[in-house]
Each structure stands twice: as C-alpha cells, then as structure tokens.
Amino acid sequence: MTKKAAVLIADGCEEVEALSPVDVLRRLGLEVDMVGLNSKKVIGDHDIVLACDKILDVDLLEYDIVIFPGGYPGAENLKNSNVLKGLMQRRAQAGKWNAAMCAAPLAFAAYGLLDGSEYTCYPSVHDQIKDQITDGHFKEDIVVIDHDKHILTSRGPATAWAYSYAIAEILGADTTQLKEAMLYNFLSENIAR
C-alpha cells in the first residue's frame, strides 16, 4: 500500500520548504497532496504562487504524515488555525507522524505536540517557543527524529533536502538512488570544503 503525505501550506510559507518534500516524495512514487490552509491558491513568503491540490478538511487524519513548511508568516497562519490545531492534536493522539521545519515548530509548540519531544527549529524560533514546551529537548542537528513521539523537525531553508529525504525514509522509501541522482551526496561530501 502506497504511503500518503500531506504538505500543509499557508500564505507566507517558505516556498523551498513547501516544495522540496513534494518533489522528493513524488520522485519516489509516494502520494503527496499539497493542502492549502484556506485556499487552493497560496502566496508564499517571496510572492511565489503555489497551486494546492485541495483545502484543509478532516481527511488530514488519514495521511501517514503531515508536513509543515516554515516561513514565519506561514507558520503563524498555521499556528492560529483552531481547526488545524484540533486535527493535529488528534493525529498526535493516534500516533501518526507529523513533520515541521524552520519556523513551523511554532505551530507544533502551540498545539502541545513538542511536549516531551526531541526537536529542532530555526535558531531564533527556539527562543520564542522554549518556554511553551514541557520537557522538550532542543537539538542543533540538521534533522531531528523523535520515534516515540512521531515528530520529525528540521532547521531552515538550506536543510530542506535533508528534511525531505528523512520524511521519505520514515515512510519506508529507499532514497539511495535518488540522493545520488539529485547530487545530494555530492553536495553533502563537498559543502564543507
């Protein structure tokens, strides 16, 4: 059975963080829906128009993973949706995987999803959310996966590919060939030079 992911996209999202998981997962043959918070047409933080497949509804409970891109205005929009908050809390209670990167852990913190979890986020965001999180453990890794809480988090735009591959691997995909084909291995081996 093919695993299915939803990328939750709100106005003001960081476009590269929204599209990287869609790109990687679709290349690997996984089903991905771009889900607009309020509309199928979303305007990213850098005025890039994104066309979503559907609008947020209760079907969010059925996905194997729900993915939040960052971008500060987008993360605030996700955080402030009571409908989304309720659905994400139900997903967490059901033991479903949820992922957030960059500023999007703002929403996860507000929903209580990071309580007792290992996580990461954009550096300045950590200062904003650390007091909201009970027994959370911040790490400075590129990607942090908490297998017990079913939470996957990452740092910022430059970590979007690592985040996307980690999501694919959580869903059971073999990313070996794709990492080579997309020159991700070349990048990771040569970036520090």
PDB file of all heavy atoms in Angstrom, residues 175-188:
ATOM      1  N   THR A 175      15.958   5.942  -0.391  1.00  0.00           N
ATOM      2  CA  THR A 175      16.371   7.196  -1.021  1.00  0.00           C
ATOM      3  C   THR A 175      17.761   7.116  -1.655  1.00  0.00           C
ATOM      4  O   THR A 175      18.236   8.112  -2.204  1.00  0.00           O
ATOM      5  CB  THR A 175      16.372   8.342   0.008  1.00  0.00           C
ATOM      6  OG1 THR A 175      17.307   8.027   1.048  1.00  0.00           O
ATOM      7  CG2 THR A 175      14.986   8.543   0.605  1.00  0.00           C
ATOM      8  N   THR A 176      18.399   5.964  -1.602  1.00  0.00           N
ATOM      9  CA  THR A 176      19.795   5.826  -2.037  1.00  0.00           C
ATOM     10  C   THR A 176      20.014   6.336  -3.455  1.00  0.00           C
ATOM     11  O   THR A 176      20.890   7.183  -3.693  1.00  0.00           O
ATOM     12  CB  THR A 176      20.251   4.359  -1.929  1.00  0.00           C
ATOM     13  OG1 THR A 176      19.977   3.883  -0.600  1.00  0.00           O
ATOM     14  CG2 THR A 176      21.720   4.215  -2.225  1.00  0.00           C
ATOM     15  N   GLN A 177      19.270   5.829  -4.402  1.00  0.00           N
ATOM     16  CA  GLN A 177      19.467   6.218  -5.802  1.00  0.00           C
ATOM     17  C   GLN A 177      19.078   7.667  -6.056  1.00  0.00           C
ATOM     18  O   GLN A 177      19.742   8.367  -6.821  1.00  0.00           O
ATOM     19  CB  GLN A 177      18.680   5.288  -6.734  1.00  0.00           C
ATOM     20  CG  GLN A 177      19.245   3.899  -6.781  1.00  0.00           C
ATOM     21  CD  GLN A 177      18.455   2.985  -7.720  1.00  0.00           C
ATOM     22  OE1 GLN A 177      17.356   3.319  -8.147  1.00  0.00           O
ATOM     23  NE2 GLN A 177      19.036   1.836  -8.038  1.00  0.00           N
ATOM     24  N   LEU A 178      18.020   8.122  -5.426  1.00  0.00           N
ATOM     25  CA  LEU A 178      17.582   9.498  -5.644  1.00  0.00           C
ATOM     26  C   LEU A 178      18.602  10.496  -5.101  1.00  0.00           C
ATOM     27  O   LEU A 178      18.880  11.509  -5.740  1.00  0.00           O
ATOM     28  CB  LEU A 178      16.210   9.747  -5.017  1.00  0.00           C
ATOM     29  CG  LEU A 178      15.594  11.117  -5.304  1.00  0.00           C
ATOM     30  CD1 LEU A 178      15.427  11.348  -6.808  1.00  0.00           C
ATOM     31  CD2 LEU A 178      14.267  11.266  -4.591  1.00  0.00           C
ATOM     32  N   LYS A 179      19.167  10.216  -3.942  1.00  0.00           N
ATOM     33  CA  LYS A 179      20.203  11.101  -3.396  1.00  0.00           C
ATOM     34  C   LYS A 179      21.378  11.220  -4.358  1.00  0.00           C
ATOM     35  O   LYS A 179      21.938  12.301  -4.529  1.00  0.00           O
ATOM     36  CB  LYS A 179      20.691  10.586  -2.046  1.00  0.00           C
ATOM     37  CG  LYS A 179      19.746  10.827  -0.903  1.00  0.00           C
ATOM     38  CD  LYS A 179      20.328  10.263   0.383  1.00  0.00           C
ATOM     39  CE  LYS A 179      19.434  10.501   1.579  1.00  0.00           C
ATOM     40  NZ  LYS A 179      19.980   9.882   2.797  1.00  0.00           N
ATOM     41  N   GLU A 180      21.728  10.131  -4.980  1.00  0.00           N
ATOM     42  CA  GLU A 180      22.835  10.145  -5.949  1.00  0.00           C
ATOM     43  C   GLU A 180      22.414  10.913  -7.207  1.00  0.00           C
ATOM     44  O   GLU A 180      23.141  11.773  -7.702  1.00  0.00           O
ATOM     45  CB  GLU A 180      23.242   8.714  -6.303  1.00  0.00           C
ATOM     46  CG  GLU A 180      24.513   8.606  -7.101  1.00  0.00           C
ATOM     47  CD  GLU A 180      25.756   9.085  -6.367  1.00  0.00           C
ATOM     48  OE1 GLU A 180      25.818   9.023  -5.122  1.00  0.00           O
ATOM     49  OE2 GLU A 180      26.681   9.541  -7.068  1.00  0.00           O
ATOM     50  N   ALA A 181      21.228  10.635  -7.718  1.00  0.00           N
ATOM     51  CA  ALA A 181      20.754  11.262  -8.951  1.00  0.00           C
ATOM     52  C   ALA A 181      20.565  12.771  -8.805  1.00  0.00           C
ATOM     53  O   ALA A 181      20.802  13.529  -9.745  1.00  0.00           O
ATOM     54  CB  ALA A 181      19.444  10.616  -9.402  1.00  0.00           C
ATOM     55  N   MET A 182      20.140  13.219  -7.629  1.00  0.00           N
ATOM     56  CA  MET A 182      19.905  14.647  -7.406  1.00  0.00           C
ATOM     57  C   MET A 182      21.166  15.384  -6.933  1.00  0.00           C
ATOM     58  O   MET A 182      21.099  16.569  -6.600  1.00  0.00           O
ATOM     59  CB  MET A 182      18.772  14.837  -6.392  1.00  0.00           C
ATOM     60  CG  MET A 182      17.412  14.406  -6.928  1.00  0.00           C
ATOM     61  SD  MET A 182      16.069  14.662  -5.735  1.00  0.00           S
ATOM     62  CE  MET A 182      15.883  16.446  -5.811  1.00  0.00           C
ATOM     63  N   LEU A 183      22.302  14.675  -6.885  1.00  0.00           N
ATOM     64  CA  LEU A 183      23.587  15.224  -6.453  1.00  0.00           C
ATOM     65  C   LEU A 183      23.596  15.635  -4.984  1.00  0.00           C
ATOM     66  O   LEU A 183      24.439  16.425  -4.553  1.00  0.00           O
ATOM     67  CB  LEU A 183      24.039  16.390  -7.338  1.00  0.00           C
ATOM     68  CG  LEU A 183      24.289  16.049  -8.807  1.00  0.00           C
ATOM     69  CD1 LEU A 183      24.761  17.280  -9.560  1.00  0.00           C
ATOM     70  CD2 LEU A 183      25.279  14.911  -8.952  1.00  0.00           C
ATOM     71  N   TYR A 184      22.681  15.076  -4.206  1.00  0.00           N
ATOM     72  CA  TYR A 184      22.671  15.358  -2.773  1.00  0.00           C
ATOM     73  C   TYR A 184      23.936  14.806  -2.121  1.00  0.00           C
ATOM     74  O   TYR A 184      24.534  15.464  -1.263  1.00  0.00           O
ATOM     75  CB  TYR A 184      21.416  14.756  -2.134  1.00  0.00           C
ATOM     76  CG  TYR A 184      21.335  15.005  -0.651  1.00  0.00           C
ATOM     77  CD1 TYR A 184      20.946  16.252  -0.166  1.00  0.00           C
ATOM     78  CD2 TYR A 184      21.637  14.007   0.265  1.00  0.00           C
ATOM     79  CE1 TYR A 184      20.867  16.489   1.197  1.00  0.00           C
ATOM     80  CE2 TYR A 184      21.559  14.235   1.625  1.00  0.00           C
ATOM     81  CZ  TYR A 184      21.178  15.483   2.085  1.00  0.00           C
ATOM     82  OH  TYR A 184      21.106  15.717   3.431  1.00  0.00           O
ATOM     83  N   ASN A 185      24.350  13.613  -2.516  1.00  0.00           N
ATOM     84  CA  ASN A 185      25.576  13.029  -1.955  1.00  0.00           C
ATOM     85  C   ASN A 185      26.778  13.903  -2.285  1.00  0.00           C
ATOM     86  O   ASN A 185      27.648  14.132  -1.443  1.00  0.00           O
ATOM     87  CB  ASN A 185      25.791  11.607  -2.468  1.00  0.00           C
ATOM     88  CG  ASN A 185      24.723  10.659  -1.961  1.00  0.00           C
ATOM     89  OD1 ASN A 185      24.082  10.900  -0.947  1.00  0.00           O
ATOM     90  ND2 ASN A 185      24.501   9.585  -2.703  1.00  0.00           N
ATOM     91  N   PHE A 186      26.852  14.377  -3.522  1.00  0.00           N
ATOM     92  CA  PHE A 186      27.937  15.260  -3.936  1.00  0.00           C
ATOM     93  C   PHE A 186      27.956  16.518  -3.065  1.00  0.00           C
ATOM     94  O   PHE A 186      29.006  16.954  -2.590  1.00  0.00           O
ATOM     95  CB  PHE A 186      27.777  15.639  -5.421  1.00  0.00           C
ATOM     96  CG  PHE A 186      28.774  16.645  -5.898  1.00  0.00           C
ATOM     97  CD1 PHE A 186      30.068  16.269  -6.223  1.00  0.00           C
ATOM     98  CD2 PHE A 186      28.419  17.979  -6.016  1.00  0.00           C
ATOM     99  CE1 PHE A 186      30.996  17.211  -6.655  1.00  0.00           C
ATOM    100  CE2 PHE A 186      29.334  18.926  -6.444  1.00  0.00           C
ATOM    101  CZ  PHE A 186      30.623  18.530  -6.762  1.00  0.00           C
ATOM    102  N   LEU A 187      26.791  17.104  -2.844  1.00  0.00           N
ATOM    103  CA  LEU A 187      26.690  18.295  -2.008  1.00  0.00           C
ATOM    104  C   LEU A 187      27.171  18.009  -0.596  1.00  0.00           C
ATOM    105  O   LEU A 187      28.004  18.741  -0.058  1.00  0.00           O
ATOM    106  CB  LEU A 187      25.251  18.806  -1.981  1.00  0.00           C
ATOM    107  CG  LEU A 187      24.982  19.977  -1.057  1.00  0.00           C
ATOM    108  CD1 LEU A 187      25.680  21.240  -1.566  1.00  0.00           C
ATOM    109  CD2 LEU A 187      23.488  20.215  -0.905  1.00  0.00           C
ATOM    110  N   SER A 188      26.648  16.954   0.013  1.00  0.00           N
ATOM    111  CA  SER A 188      26.993  16.669   1.399  1.00  0.00           C
ATOM    112  C   SER A 188      28.475  16.341   1.569  1.00  0.00           C
ATOM    113  O   SER A 188      29.067  16.652   2.596  1.00  0.00           O
ATOM    114  CB  SER A 188      26.119  15.550   1.970  1.00  0.00           C
ATOM    115  OG  SER A 188      26.325  14.347   1.275  1.00  0.00           O
TER     116      SER A 188
END
